[in-house]
Amino acid sequence: MTDMPSPSAPLKIGTRGSPLALAQAHETRARLSAAFDLPEAAFEICVIKTTGDDRSLIDADRPLKEIGNKGLFTKEIEEALLEGRIDIAVHSMKDMPTFQPEGLILDCNLPREDVRDAFICPAYRSLHDLPQGAVVGTSSLRRRAQLLHRRPDLKVVEFRGNLQTRLKKLGDGVAAATFLACAGLNRLGMTEVPAAPIATEDMLPAVAQGAIGIERRSDDARTQRMLASVHDAPTGDRLAAERAFLAALDGSCETPIAGLAEIDGDQLRLRGEILKTDGSAAFAGEIRGPVAEGADLGRRLAADLLGRAGPGFLAHKA
């Protein structure tokens, strides 16, 4: 391939500045470097501050949906990509809106990490062990609703911030327990955190949890060819089903939504769940079919859940 990146003209990788975001950007750089036998200096990691990184918003412990939710962690990075200040953008896929701005495309995924949620609690081993009335912290509408649906006796408080911030709050006694994604803990090598993975049968994860996406300009042929070399097709197939499911539900995160696709041979199994924000009602289901029909399976499962939930379910506010 001609016109390859070099230390004098590096390919610029845009990312947020959190430790997890940087770990994902470093993984992207390492995979591209290995794929094309290029030095790491041929890739420049560019940190971009997003609205979701604003300390005043994090410290205020305002619910994400009051600030803007989807797009909080992507808008400024995508603007830099469109303006040509960076060449690619590395994202946590669960943060990504289901539609990209005109001129951008998201068609590269790295191999998916552990999709499960982790129960984080120094004093108790599992969610079931928490005493009645215990305080649990989370900023996730999905986790809040799933928790209250299973344990309505618990008190759930807003728990904003990156992984390190939330662990500090837990240590400070703001809550007895919280949840983190196993993928983040694994990517950061945080084996010292008292984490108990939760089976997906007990708590279905967020759509695209554990997946990294790499966004590019749609007219950038060189970058398209480079990213194709590191794209993980099974992860892409799973996300196609999950994100179609999310898109059909509007995917605004005003309503708690969970979804997970798994592949066995040429068959795909997609599970989904929608809940009221207060946990008072939930509808779950699954669908199976050919991997190639993943997006259609996602739309069909969304229609099934919406049909069973009835009119107005998605508009519910706690």
Side-chain angles (χ1 to χ4, degrees):
M1 187 187 300
T2 59
D3 191 27
M4 295 295 288
S6 67
S8 60
L11 183 140
K12 295 183 177 181
I13 302 172
T15 177
R16 294 172 61 205
S18 72
L20 178 57
L22 288 171
Q24 295 178 162
H26 288 151
E27 179 180 345
T28 301
R29 180 177 66 182
R31 289 181 181 275
L32 286 170
S33 177
F36 294 95
D37 194 25
L38 292 171
E40 286 193 347
F43 303 91
E44 178 184 350
I45 293 178
C46 304
V47 174
I48 298 170
K49 185 176 180 180
T50 69
T51 302
D53 297 313
D54 188 325
R55 293 300 311 179
S56 64
L57 298 179
I58 291 173
D59 294 338
D61 274 344
R62 292 168 59 195
L64 286 175
K65 68 176 182 178
E66 292 182 6
I67 304 168
N69 223 320
K70 290 289 185 183
L72 272 178
F73 303 109
T74 61
K75 181 175 180 289
E76 289 81 3
I77 298 175
E78 290 181 326
E79 288 173 350
L81 187 55
L82 284 168
E83 293 168 5
R85 289 184 280 126
I86 57 175
D87 298 300
I88 60 174
V90 180
H91 303 285
S92 291
M93 283 300 296
K94 71 176 183 179
D95 292 335
M96 293 301 290
T98 52
F99 298 99
Q100 275 55 67
E102 185 176 354
L104 299 183
I105 190 167
L106 187 57
D107 60 357
C108 176
N109 298 111
L110 301 188
R112 198 172 193 175
E113 247 288 358
D114 192 333
V115 301
R116 295 174 296 176
D117 287 308
F119 177 72
I120 313 296
C121 181
Y124 301 96
R125 297 187 63 181
S126 75
L127 177 61
H128 306 292
D129 295 332
L130 282 177
Q132 187 168 359
V135 178
V136 179
T138 180
S139 63
S140 163
L141 281 178
R142 171 190 61 87
R143 288 170 177 154
R144 173 189 292 267
Q146 289 174 323
L147 182 62
L148 291 174
H149 186 65
R150 292 153 178 78
R151 289 287 306 272
D153 61 288
L154 298 176
K155 180 182 178 182
V156 184
V157 297
E158 189 69 22
F159 223 53
R160 286 289 315 282
N162 62 28
L163 188 150
Q164 287 76 11
T165 299
R166 283 180 279 169
L167 288 174
K168 183 180 184 301
K169 289 182 179 181
L170 194 63
D172 291 342
V174 177
T178 189
F179 301 96
L180 295 170
C182 286
L185 293 171
N186 291 346
R187 287 192 172 111
L188 290 172
M190 301 185 70
T191 56
E192 76 283 3
V193 176
I198 303 172
T200 59
E201 289 74 20
D202 294 328
M203 183 174 279
L204 201 62
V207 164
Q209 185 156 301
I212 295 172
I214 307 176
E215 194 174 24
R216 62 176 175 85
R217 289 183 293 276
S218 56
D219 62 355
D220 187 341
R222 181 191 72 164
T223 299
Q224 178 183 13
R225 292 191 298 270
M226 291 188 70
L227 293 182
S229 71
V230 297
H231 174 61
D232 185 67
T235 297
D237 289 336
R238 294 170 69 186
L239 296 193
E242 293 176 27
R243 284 169 60 79
F245 170 71
L246 183 65
L249 293 170
D250 191 24
S252 65
C253 284
E254 290 291 332
T255 295
I257 299 168
L260 178 64
E262 297 163 298
I263 293 176
D264 183 6
D266 64 352
Q267 293 293 299
L268 182 142
R269 175 198 185 200
L270 175 64
R271 287 179 284 160
E273 182 180 32
I274 56 175
L275 306 95
K276 286 192 173 181
T277 52
D278 60 2
S280 61
F283 293 89
E286 71 172 74
I287 191 169
R288 298 171 187 261
V291 171
E293 298 176 10
D296 183 57
L297 293 173
R299 290 186 286 267
R300 286 164 55 190
L301 180 59
D304 173 63
L305 296 187
L306 287 173
R308 288 196 278 133
F313 187 89
L314 292 179
H316 176 81
K317 299 290 188 297

